[in-house]
Amino acid sequence: MALKDGGIVILDYGSQTAQLIARRVRELNVFAALVPYIYTLDEAREAAPGFRGIILSGGPTSVYEADAPPLPDWVLASRVPVLGICYGMQLLTHRLGGEVAPAARREYGLATVRVERDGGLFGGLDAAQAVWMSHSDHIARPPDGFVVLAATGNAPHAAIADPERGLFGVQFHPEVSHTEHGAAMLRNFVIDVCGASATWTPENLVEVTIEATRRKVGAGRVLLGMSGGVDSSVAGELIHRAVGDQLVPVFVNHGMLRQGEADQVIELGRQLNWRNMTAVDATEDFLGALQGVTDPEDKRMIIGQTFADVFEREASRLGALDWLAQGTIYPDVIESAGTGRPGAKRIKSHHNVGGLPEHLKGRLVEPLRDLFKDEVRRIGALLGIPEAIVWRQPFPGPGLGVRCVGEVTWERLEMLRAADHIFTSELDAAGLLREGTAQAFAVLLPVRSVGVMGDNRTYEEVIALRAVTTSDFMTADWARLDPALLAHISSRIVNEVNGVNRVLYDISSKPPATIEWE
Ligand code: XMP
């Protein structure tokens, strides 16, 4: 089955919502590849074989800037339908001889468009609908041959098209959920106008990935660093279904996992019948190496290095191994392809699985390379991975090590684990772990504070609670949790966790704060 054939290629001009466009298209069961705008036709074809349509994303630039990202010649030459969104629309207009100009007012937020013509894009949709705008330039005059499909009070050319040539432009963002019928517009474009193939279903993906993995791996043995997160669990199970006991999972417990988590990982391996799974309790290696260390970057470095050492030590005991499995997902691939975005500064040194045995470098099996996180979750559910893992919130590689601010000791970790468990289980009971918060956890601070319990003065530890909402983890806002729920959690923590007499709720957004404290 040629799963990717007949999909959509999306040129990334740097908009924050470019990945969302690809996710929305894939929700239609159509394959979409998000590629840098500098890609050649051959590169685009390799990413999205036989693509039937092109979408140009938004971007932060103006078409009149000296180094404005251009429209590659092959886009119009390939004669497939094109939809330009925001900057993409302006680029298309500029190229075809229309006029783009600074708008009198920058438009940001919700607007109502009046549909004047269906044009293929608005088929079956309301005459007036809410759309999400975010632009400072606008279309002063559409190119010859274009007609207006929709207008707002501020933007008379909110949607334009040359239906004959299959060229469309929208000033608003159909990919964001605030645009009322955005998904339907994308459906109209992708399915009706482009005639793209709807073969990208979770069932097909599972089948094709298992088959491709089996062909790639042959008779080799595959080493998997199992963390218990959704990515390594789903990647592992796909490989397991492909090559059975040739899968060799290694779970390193660094002692900084959350309550009950290590047992859960071991239980999952048993449930999935991963007969070659090795679980290593390396708590002493890690806590020994972290003794007396308080600097956040030093902690991260030590945890990363110890992880690499332990992983390599264990792998060397397992006999000949031919492949290394990694849970790389599509956003990692997009990032490393580089979109011409200004290089991101390193804020924290992230670590996942380190310690590649030397001979496995380049021998990678990455069954999730083409998938977004929501697709990984859907496949996980299909493979019978328990909900608690499929829907687990992200948890950093260095674990509670970066949430135990100050020195990491077993006693402090136990205190943090207990407080974190109270917080997250209360959120779970209130239905706020899967929806309502993107990440929620407790942090143990390196200060003590004075309190009073009964008639006695106390001088004890402080717990901070952090809960954020975010769609991409690049920016985040603090979750507006119900004060009554916070009060209940706070009183449970001070009553049930020995040594804690004060609880704080973190009301910082990212930026300027980060999600984790270290
Ligand atoms: P920050 O704290 O930078 O975190 O706002 C953004 C997201 O990344 C997670 N995070 C990590 N994930 N290894 C990981 O796999 C790491 O070293 C790491 N550090 C932070 C963090 O939990 C949040 O989801």
Side-chain angles (χ1 to χ4, degrees), residues 55 65 75 115 128 216 226 255 309 328 336 404 411 487:
I55 298 179
E65 279 172 37
V75 168
V115 178
K216 176 167 187 171
M226 170 64 179
D309 294 345
T328 315
S336 59
C404 205
E411 294 68 33

mmCIF file of all heavy atoms in Angstrom, residues 55 65 75 115 128 216 226 255 309 328 336 404 411 487:
data_model
loop_
_atom_site.group_PDB
_atom_site.id
_atom_site.type_symbol
_atom_site.label_atom_id
_atom_site.label_comp_id
_atom_site.label_asym_id
_atom_site.label_seq_id
_atom_site.Cartn_x
_atom_site.Cartn_y
_atom_site.Cartn_z
ATOM 1 N N ILE A 55 -0.164 23.658 -0.068
ATOM 2 C CA ILE A 55 -0.626 24.727 0.824
ATOM 3 C C ILE A 55 0.594 25.551 1.217
ATOM 4 O O ILE A 55 1.647 24.994 1.548
ATOM 5 C CB ILE A 55 -1.335 24.157 2.075
ATOM 6 C CG1 ILE A 55 -2.582 23.352 1.656
ATOM 7 C CG2 ILE A 55 -1.728 25.286 3.036
ATOM 8 C CD1 ILE A 55 -3.357 22.729 2.810
ATOM 9 N N GLU A 65 9.712 42.825 2.151
ATOM 10 C CA GLU A 65 11.023 42.876 2.810
ATOM 11 C C GLU A 65 12.079 42.333 1.864
ATOM 12 O O GLU A 65 11.798 41.465 1.032
ATOM 13 C CB GLU A 65 10.997 42.062 4.111
ATOM 14 C CG GLU A 65 10.379 42.845 5.263
ATOM 15 C CD GLU A 65 10.172 42.003 6.503
ATOM 16 O OE1 GLU A 65 11.021 41.135 6.784
ATOM 17 O OE2 GLU A 65 9.149 42.220 7.185
ATOM 18 N N VAL A 75 6.052 25.624 -7.765
ATOM 19 C CA VAL A 75 4.711 25.601 -7.171
ATOM 20 C C VAL A 75 3.653 25.845 -8.236
ATOM 21 O O VAL A 75 2.714 25.058 -8.396
ATOM 22 C CB VAL A 75 4.599 26.632 -6.028
ATOM 23 C CG1 VAL A 75 3.148 26.816 -5.598
ATOM 24 C CG2 VAL A 75 5.447 26.194 -4.834
ATOM 25 N N VAL A 115 -19.563 35.383 3.230
ATOM 26 C CA VAL A 115 -19.201 34.621 2.034
ATOM 27 C C VAL A 115 -19.942 35.205 0.838
ATOM 28 O O VAL A 115 -21.158 35.387 0.887
ATOM 29 C CB VAL A 115 -19.562 33.134 2.210
ATOM 30 C CG1 VAL A 115 -19.220 32.353 0.950
ATOM 31 C CG2 VAL A 115 -18.825 32.560 3.413
ATOM 32 N N ALA A 128 -22.255 33.624 6.930
ATOM 33 C CA ALA A 128 -21.402 34.455 7.796
ATOM 34 C C ALA A 128 -20.761 33.520 8.815
ATOM 35 O O ALA A 128 -21.429 32.654 9.376
ATOM 36 C CB ALA A 128 -22.244 35.510 8.497
ATOM 37 N N LYS A 216 12.853 -3.894 6.992
ATOM 38 C CA LYS A 216 14.099 -3.204 7.311
ATOM 39 C C LYS A 216 14.964 -4.014 8.273
ATOM 40 O O LYS A 216 16.162 -4.171 8.071
ATOM 41 C CB LYS A 216 13.763 -1.846 7.947
ATOM 42 C CG LYS A 216 14.974 -1.081 8.417
ATOM 43 C CD LYS A 216 14.642 0.364 8.732
ATOM 44 C CE LYS A 216 15.922 1.133 9.035
ATOM 45 N NZ LYS A 216 15.704 2.561 9.136
ATOM 46 N N MET A 226 13.427 1.877 26.725
ATOM 47 C CA MET A 226 12.009 1.982 27.073
ATOM 48 C C MET A 226 11.855 2.921 28.258
ATOM 49 O O MET A 226 12.454 2.691 29.309
ATOM 50 C CB MET A 226 11.531 0.562 27.431
ATOM 51 C CG MET A 226 10.169 0.492 28.048
ATOM 52 S SD MET A 226 8.910 1.048 26.881
ATOM 53 C CE MET A 226 7.439 0.806 27.882
ATOM 54 N N GLY A 255 15.502 6.224 39.320
ATOM 55 C CA GLY A 255 15.131 6.555 40.703
ATOM 56 C C GLY A 255 14.411 7.886 40.802
ATOM 57 O O GLY A 255 14.006 8.297 41.886
ATOM 58 N N ASP A 309 25.941 5.965 30.316
ATOM 59 C CA ASP A 309 26.839 4.913 30.829
ATOM 60 C C ASP A 309 26.068 3.648 31.191
ATOM 61 O O ASP A 309 26.449 2.543 30.814
ATOM 62 C CB ASP A 309 27.590 5.410 32.075
ATOM 63 C CG ASP A 309 28.548 6.547 31.743
ATOM 64 O OD1 ASP A 309 28.834 6.751 30.533
ATOM 65 O OD2 ASP A 309 28.995 7.248 32.678
ATOM 66 N N THR A 328 11.656 8.866 17.682
ATOM 67 C CA THR A 328 11.619 10.149 16.963
ATOM 68 C C THR A 328 10.235 10.347 16.347
ATOM 69 O O THR A 328 9.721 9.447 15.697
ATOM 70 C CB THR A 328 12.623 10.088 15.785
ATOM 71 O OG1 THR A 328 13.820 9.514 16.259
ATOM 72 C CG2 THR A 328 12.847 11.445 15.166
ATOM 73 N N SER A 336 14.580 19.325 12.496
ATOM 74 C CA SER A 336 15.941 19.120 12.030
ATOM 75 C C SER A 336 16.072 19.390 10.530
ATOM 76 O O SER A 336 17.176 19.628 10.056
ATOM 77 C CB SER A 336 16.464 17.736 12.414
ATOM 78 O OG SER A 336 15.633 16.770 11.851
ATOM 79 N N CYS A 404 13.184 18.624 41.663
ATOM 80 C CA CYS A 404 13.665 18.617 43.033
ATOM 81 C C CYS A 404 14.727 19.714 43.039
ATOM 82 O O CYS A 404 15.907 19.455 42.829
ATOM 83 C CB CYS A 404 14.289 17.240 43.259
ATOM 84 S SG CYS A 404 14.333 16.688 44.924
ATOM 85 N N GLU A 411 15.272 11.079 50.172
ATOM 86 C CA GLU A 411 14.224 11.594 51.070
ATOM 87 C C GLU A 411 13.433 12.711 50.382
ATOM 88 O O GLU A 411 12.211 12.763 50.457
ATOM 89 C CB GLU A 411 14.818 12.147 52.380
ATOM 90 C CG GLU A 411 15.478 11.117 53.273
ATOM 91 C CD GLU A 411 16.762 10.553 52.674
ATOM 92 O OE1 GLU A 411 17.476 11.303 51.964
ATOM 93 O OE2 GLU A 411 17.034 9.349 52.887
ATOM 94 N N ALA A 487 -7.430 24.464 47.079
ATOM 95 C CA ALA A 487 -7.472 24.454 48.544
ATOM 96 C C ALA A 487 -7.473 23.015 49.051
ATOM 97 O O ALA A 487 -6.749 22.662 50.002
ATOM 98 C CB ALA A 487 -8.722 25.193 49.025
#
